[in-house]
Structures are given as C-alpha cells and as structure tokens.
Amino acid sequence: MTLQQIVDRAKRIVFFGGAGVSTESGIPDFRGMDGLFAREYDGLTAEMMLSRSFFYLHPTRFFDFYRKYMLHPDAKPNACHRKLFELERAGKLRGIVTQNIDGLHRAAGNRLVYEVHGSVHENYCMDCGAFYPLSKILTTEGIPRCDTCGGVVKPWVTLYGEPLDKPTEMGACREISNCDALIVAGTSLQVEPARSFLDYFHGRDLVVINRDGTEADSRATLVLRGNIAEIMDAVRVDVP
C-alpha cells in the first residue's frame, strides 16, 4: 500500500504534525540531536525556560529566550503545507492537528487547523484581554506591555505546566476520531497530552512519516522515512 493509494481511497483525512513538518521552512527541530531541547542555556533546559513557572518568575529572561529561539517571522510555508491546502480544497482533508506554533498551516491557506499548542501570531494582555499580533512581541524589548492598560502581553502558546485550550483539544480529538485516514508526520509522539490523540483514531489507515521510529509504527498501515515535504509533495491531488 502506497501513500498515494491511501490518499486516493480515503474520504476523511486528518493530518497530525509536529516540528518536523516545518524544518524545510527553516524552523529548527526541537528534539533532534542538535535541536532546541538538546542544549542548555545558562544551565537551564529549553523546557525550563518555556515553562509557566519560569514565565511568571523571570518574565524578562523568558521573553529574551522566546524572541531569540521561538520566533521565525520570515518562515514561509513549504511543499508539505501547500499540499495540505490542496487536499483541503479537494475535500479530502478534514482537519490539521498541529503541535507547531508557527502558524504556517494557516499561512498556506488551510482553514481546518487545530493549533493545540497555540500560535505565536496570537498574543493577549493578561489584564484587559486586548489582542496583539506577532509584531507586538517583535518590536518591543523586555516585557511587552499593553498599550491600553500596561498589563503584560502574553503569547497565546501553551507553556510547560499549562493545560491545552479545551475547545481546541476537543475539536482535534473529534476530527481524529471521525477520520478514515490519519497521517502523522514530523513528531516523536513523546509529548503529552498530544501523544494520546492517537488513542482516538479508529479508522482504516494510519500513516507515519518521521525521521526516527515512533511508538505508532507498529500499528501503522504505512511507515515512511525521509523528507516530509518531498514525500507529501509527491502526492497527486485532483482539485475540483
């Protein structure tokens, strides 16, 4: 069974992606040998720096780290993102569940996107709730403050120690439970609760595309190793 055959016979595809989906767009992987989480920063790990407690205790250091390592404003959608938009337009793709916060799926045109860890493009004042785009974080130094009330402007991203946004999580689980083909790509499936999303899949075909092995490989219809953008770009899509 090939990926093309699985796509052709599927009626409801859901794509579940992680950091590996965006590496071709110039955004570094998190958990690879040279990834963000493989290093230390002044004696602290990335998980510590991106935790809820560190944000509240050391907000200036948090934002310095966040701006330097988590924001990639010049990144553009790659061939994988563009192919998923084609699949959505063709009525094949019923949803994208992404652990990425880069917003590239929406930039490619997809509308059926569940950003379970939030997005760098959404920021809000913790006091009055005012919304701010990514430019607010990029054009300020230190702690970004609300123009109206002076409150701290926090990125709408899920930090370690914070729960997922419940409506987004429920929507993602609903789409996975209703699809007949699930494509899992660019994720190690090591992070909870996102790794548990696969428990909701009861469809026919599970495809895993990843550089390294995952715990889902043993139950997959098809396992592919290689460049995700190239693999997805090779899929033919009939757009009405």
Side-chain angles (χ1 to χ4, degrees), residues 1-76:
M1 182 69 65
T2 66
L3 178 57
Q4 186 67 58
Q5 290 172 324
I6 290 173
V7 169
D8 287 343
R9 74 177 185 175
K11 302 295 185 184
R12 297 179 64 90
I13 300 173
V14 167
F15 183 90
F16 177 30
V21 174
S22 294
T23 53
E24 283 295 301
S25 296
I27 299 178
D29 195 357
F30 283 172
R31 298 185 180 276
M33 291 183 60
D34 298 318
L36 188 67
F37 288 79
R39 293 173 279 165
E40 288 193 354
Y41 310 85
D42 296 326
L44 299 176
T45 66
E47 291 189 19
M48 294 176 182
M49 302 283 278
L50 295 173
S51 68
R52 179 179 183 273
S53 59
F54 194 86
F55 170 80
Y56 283 100
L57 292 173
H58 308 285
T60 300
R61 291 182 65 190
F62 169 87
F63 279 106
D64 287 345
F65 181 88
Y66 182 77
R67 289 187 182 97
K68 184 175 181 179
Y69 295 105
M70 303 303 292
L71 301 182
H72 304 274
D74 297 327
K76 305 296 182 184

Side-chain angles (χ1 to χ4, degrees), residues 9 12 48 56 66 103 113 122 154 166-167 182 235:
R9 74 177 185 175
R12 297 179 64 90
M48 294 176 182
Y56 283 100
Y66 182 77
V113 184
E122 298 182 12
K154 182 182 184 296
K166 186 56 66 175
L182 178 64
V235 174

Side-chain angles (χ1 to χ4, degrees), residues 80-91:
C80 177
H81 299 104
R82 295 191 293 270
K83 184 63 63 173
L84 291 172
F85 178 53
E86 290 182 37
L87 286 166
E88 183 177 302
R89 284 195 300 162

Side-chain angles (χ1 to χ4, degrees), residues 101-237:
I101 61 175
D102 51 46
L104 291 181
H105 288 295
R106 295 191 186 278
N110 283 98
R111 299 179 63 185
L112 306 173
V113 184
Y114 297 88
E115 296 169 314
V116 295
H117 291 158
S119 171
V120 298
H121 296 279
E122 298 182 12
N123 306 272
Y124 68 98
C125 173
M126 298 178 69
D127 289 341
C128 73
F131 174 87
Y132 290 93
L134 176 58
S135 58
K136 177 66 175 179
I137 309 298
L138 292 173
T139 58
T140 56
E141 296 182 358
I143 303 171
R145 296 283 181 178
C146 177
D147 297 337
T148 302
C149 73
V152 176
V153 175
K154 182 182 184 296
W156 201 301
V157 298
T158 303
L159 303 178
Y160 286 93
E162 291 183 329
L164 300 186
D165 176 70
K166 186 56 66 175
T168 303
E169 180 182 9
M170 292 177 64
C173 293
R174 181 182 64 250
E175 294 298 341
I176 290 174
S177 67
N178 289 330
C179 70
D180 59 2
L182 178 64
I183 301 175
V184 179
T187 174
S188 63
L189 296 175
Q190 295 179 4
V191 178
E192 289 286 7
R195 65 184 293 183
S196 298
F197 286 176
L198 265 67
D199 295 339
Y200 290 87
F201 177 64
H202 305 290
R204 178 175 52 202
D205 294 315
L206 173 63
V207 178
V208 177
I209 310 172
N210 201 52
R211 179 188 58 198
D212 304 314
T214 75
E215 61 182 40
D217 291 2
S218 60
R219 58 180 289 203
T221 308
L222 177 67
V223 177
L224 297 171
R225 302 277 184 253
N227 184 292
I228 297 170
E230 293 178 356
I231 290 172
M232 290 300 299
D233 192 40
V235 174
R236 299 184 307 277
V237 181

